[in-house]
Amino acid sequence: FAGRGSVRASGNFNANQDAETLYKAMKGLGTDEDSIIKLLTSRSNSQRQQIKAAYKTLHGKDLVGDLQGELGGKFETLVVALMTPPILYDVTLLRNAIKGAGTDEKVLIEILSSRTAQQVKDITAAYRQEFDADLEEDVTGDTSGHFRRLLVILLQASRQQGVQEGNIETDAQTLFSAGEKNYGTDEDQFITILGNRSAEHLRRVFAAYMKLAGYEMEESVKRETSGGLRDLLLAVVKCARSVPAYFAETLYYSMSGAGTDDQTLIRVMASRSEVDMLDIRADYRRLFAKSLYSTIQGDTCGDYRKAILLLCGGDDA
């Protein structure tokens, strides 16, 4: 997805100049939120890290700490997310999801089903470095059953490469026998196939499965499984089909119904703005017949809205 993000590195970038702009925006009475928003949303994450370093060199203070002191609420949460390197952001989200009160399954599911194998390996290494703990051990200590087994498989980040032509029909048949064909469900087969095959291979399996069962894979997962396992299998299936479409749907549900799930909105906008936001926007329009931009506009307010809209990067009305 190179170059499919809405946020790109600024061409005429000067870290010291940006650090000064931010310092001035926070100096004295009141805070110039507009300057902060415009600057941070028009720089890439690696540029923000350079600004953070320049700020410390010039002012002997921590930029993120100063921003937190000046801002508040959802806007502050978003800015801190934007200032965090991507892998460290994922690691922090996972740690909070496991170590907070109760397990935030939504975060575990979203990150482990959507990240690339290399990203998962980097996350595991960074988690150990950051918290002197083993991510897999922490996940297994906090989850159970089939849900835990599939999370552990995803943490191995060792999906097969490419398409195994000879296994497409057998995989489809195995999934059919494990669910729709017989009474009761053999969850182990769902977990093994959906957890270990490549995305390209799974897309072919889903097509063969549709011919065989007369159902889309998602429909069968919904009918044959429940709870955390069901949510995780659905995310894995959706990400195998299209990661941007998965995030388009995640964003849609974060803003539909009573109240906005701001934690999810912030998480997705911060983590995908440089990756595939243009694809997410296109899928959002295709799936929901309205633009992501207009949905955000109607569902948020204030400085927080301004920043999220700039990360969205434009209206596809």
Side-chain angles (χ1 to χ4, degrees), residues 88-138:
L88 185 59
Y89 184 55
D90 280 351
V91 159
T92 310
L93 288 169
L94 288 169
R95 180 72 170 183
N96 294 340
I98 297 164
K99 294 296 174 191
T103 310
D104 189 344
E105 291 185 353
K106 192 188 281 185
V107 172
L108 291 180
I109 290 168
E110 185 187 296
I111 293 176
L112 294 180
S113 57
S114 67
R115 302 308 189 250
T116 64
Q118 190 53 55
Q119 284 170 332
V120 173
K121 286 174 181 156
D122 293 345
I123 285 166
T124 305
Y127 190 93
R128 183 179 291 283
Q129 196 181 348
E130 201 60 29
F131 303 113
D132 194 22
D134 185 284
L135 177 56
E136 188 184 316
E137 276 175 27
D138 283 356

Side-chain angles (χ1 to χ4, degrees), residues 247-295:
F247 279 115
E249 205 174 301
T250 303
L251 286 169
Y252 177 78
Y253 287 115
S254 77
M255 293 181 281
S256 64
T260 303
D261 175 359
D262 290 297
Q263 292 305 323
T264 297
L265 181 56
I266 289 169
R267 206 169 53 240
V268 176
M269 296 308 288
S271 62
R272 308 312 290 188
S273 57
E274 279 180 68
V275 184
D276 51 6
M277 188 54 68
L278 300 181
D279 298 307
I280 292 170
R281 271 168 38 188
D283 279 324
Y284 194 95
R285 181 126 204 79
R286 177 178 60 79
L287 292 165
F288 307 110
K290 57 180 170 178
S291 74
L292 175 58
Y293 192 92
S294 64
T295 310

